[in-house]
Amino acid sequence: SLFRLKDLEVAELGDSDVHVKMLAAPINPADINMIQGTYAILSPLPAVGGNEGVGEVLEVGRRVAALKPGDRVIPAGAGLGTWRTQGVFPEEMLLKVPSDIPVLCAATLSVNPCTAYRMLADFETLAPGDSIIQNAANSGVGQAVIQIAKASGIKTINVVRDRPDLPKLVERLMALGADHVVTEEMLRKPEMKDIFKSIPKPRLALNCVGGKSTTDMLRHLQPKGTVVTYGGMAKQPVMVPVSAFIFRDLRLRGFWMTQWRKDHAQDQEGLASMMDAVCQLIRRGQLTAPACTEVPLQDYKAALEASMKPFMSSKQILLL
């Protein structure tokens, strides 16, 4: 195992530092990829895992103005190392979050809902009544896309892999506000036409899988539509028929939340307005944390194993 639970001394508090007691941190696919060395960011070793989570401020250095003890904070960027009980971090590595949103929502706020929010906002101008299509619809991002789209009046066609408990999953996604849930096999069936009797064809497709799933999905896009790839769970390239480019002028784009944060490091307003929007949705009950299994830190081995099982429909959250 690459992992050990280790006791470390808490670093001394510098003038611009914040001492944080971590409360909860999820295990995301990107965290696993980072550990395996297959991700675009690698932490110098030895490193603490985890890119997302929520903590409570215990103490602040004398130059720290924006934070005070008792505030809730989440990482401002990737690579913070959230799988720990406490830590001392420079102030600029933390973002304050409202204390009135549930801990599990705050712990899972900075990656998936923000990714979903940006992809719905940044690529196509969507109006109420428009539709989008997405694969891996039961992923953390997928669940957030369903809820954020629903709150904006945008219809979602949600693609999932066939599985033993499919009816249960369909029911869960419909309860979140999904308009249609189809399997990857159904994308190729003539019955897909029935869906488009009641809603327009999508202008936006969100791809987290790759391979055949993506090719089948983009057949249903409107001309000049956009496919945004933000993950590649099938570990296969995105294949596009030449005709889709020539006769339908489809656009292929990529999205990586870490890069968006880097590009918008100076754009405090853009960041604040996104965080406000997402927190408002949470407060109104329109955006919930993904289905979670809470695991105490000492059981981290079981949590890591569970997070890598196929068809996992619950996110593992370490309680710190």
Side-chain angles (χ1 to χ4, degrees):
S1 159
L2 298 161
F3 269 101
R4 285 199 305 279
L5 204 52
K6 207 169 160 200
D7 283 319
L8 300 169
E9 289 288 311
V10 176
E12 231 166 84
L13 189 73
D15 286 351
S16 307
D17 289 342
V18 180
H19 182 185
V20 178
K21 173 188 186 297
M22 291 304 296
L23 301 171
I27 299 177
N28 290 319
D31 301 329
I32 305 282
N33 295 342
M34 259 174 97
I35 293 152
Q36 292 167 337
T38 57
Y39 203 59
I41 346 176
L42 300 174
S43 301
L45 296 173
V48 178
N51 288 294
E52 196 181 29
V54 63
E56 185 184 316
V57 175
L58 293 178
E59 199 186 346
V60 300
R62 59 192 181 86
R63 286 218 199 98
V64 174
L67 295 170
K68 58 184 191 308
D71 283 348
R72 289 260 174 93
V73 289
I74 62 173
L80 190 70
T82 52
W83 300 346
R84 62 171 104 209
T85 52
Q86 39 184 298
V88 170
F89 309 107
E91 178 184 19
E92 70 268 13
M93 289 175 79
L94 302 168
L95 284 179
K96 186 176 165 175
V97 289
S99 301
D100 65 342
I101 63 173
V103 166
L104 291 184
C105 287
T108 52
L109 182 70
S110 61
V111 179
N112 296 336
C114 291
T115 299
Y117 182 89
R118 292 265 58 103
M119 292 194 302
L120 288 170
D122 294 352
F123 295 93
E124 288 283 344
T125 311
L126 300 170
D130 286 345
S131 78
I132 65 132
I133 187 166
Q134 65 165 343
N135 55 25
N138 58 314
S139 67
V141 171
Q143 292 176 54
V145 164
I146 290 170
Q147 296 173 83
I148 296 169
K150 169 91 175 167
S152 320
I154 294 158
K155 310 282 182 206
T156 58
I157 303 155
N158 299 281
V159 186
V160 297
R161 285 182 297 176
D162 199 5
R163 62 192 65 216
D165 60 347
L166 185 65
K168 222 162 82 188
L169 176 61
V170 171
E171 195 181 318
R172 223 181 71 209
L173 296 183
M174 297 298 273
L176 287 179
D179 295 284
H180 299 275
V181 182
V182 297
T183 61
E184 294 187 335
E185 291 69 36
M186 272 178 70
L187 283 175
R188 292 190 282 282
K189 302 259 166 72
E191 291 89 274
M192 279 301 286
K193 288 199 181 70
D194 297 339
I195 289 180
F196 300 118
K197 284 175 186 157
S198 59
I199 65 173
K201 288 204 150 192
R203 282 213 312 276
L204 180 66
L206 305 178
N207 165 47
C208 181
V209 179
K212 210 169 166 45
S213 163
T214 311
T215 312
D216 291 334
M217 193 165 64
L218 60 82
R219 289 182 203 284
H220 300 292
L221 276 184
Q222 279 188 39
K224 294 199 185 324
T226 306
V227 181
V228 180
T229 292
Y230 68 98
M233 286 157 71
K235 295 188 168 44
Q236 285 159 357
V238 172
M239 307 287 270
V240 184
V242 168
S243 61
F245 276 135
I246 301 173
F247 303 121
R248 290 170 49 228
D249 193 14
L250 291 190
R251 279 150 236 262
L252 266 68
R253 300 285 307 271
F255 182 78
W256 187 31
M257 194 65 220
T258 303
Q259 189 62 46
W260 187 92
R261 287 187 192 281
K262 276 195 194 121
D263 294 346
H264 291 79
Q266 303 312 313
D267 174 18
Q268 286 308 308
E269 261 168 70
L271 181 63
S273 77
M274 169 174 71
M275 298 307 282
D276 288 348
V278 172
C279 288
Q280 272 304 92
L281 290 169
I282 292 170
R283 279 197 198 95
R284 289 195 205 118
Q286 292 175 307
L287 179 62
T288 53
C292 292
T293 304
E294 301 175 39
V295 185
L297 181 60
Q298 50 270 30
D299 299 341
Y300 72 93
K301 282 200 175 98
L304 282 167
E305 268 165 35
S307 73
M308 289 159 86
K309 281 201 184 103
F311 301 124
M312 251 326 267
S313 43
S314 182
K315 195 174 275 293
Q316 305 292 306
I317 304 249
L318 298 170
L319 294 185
L320 309 160

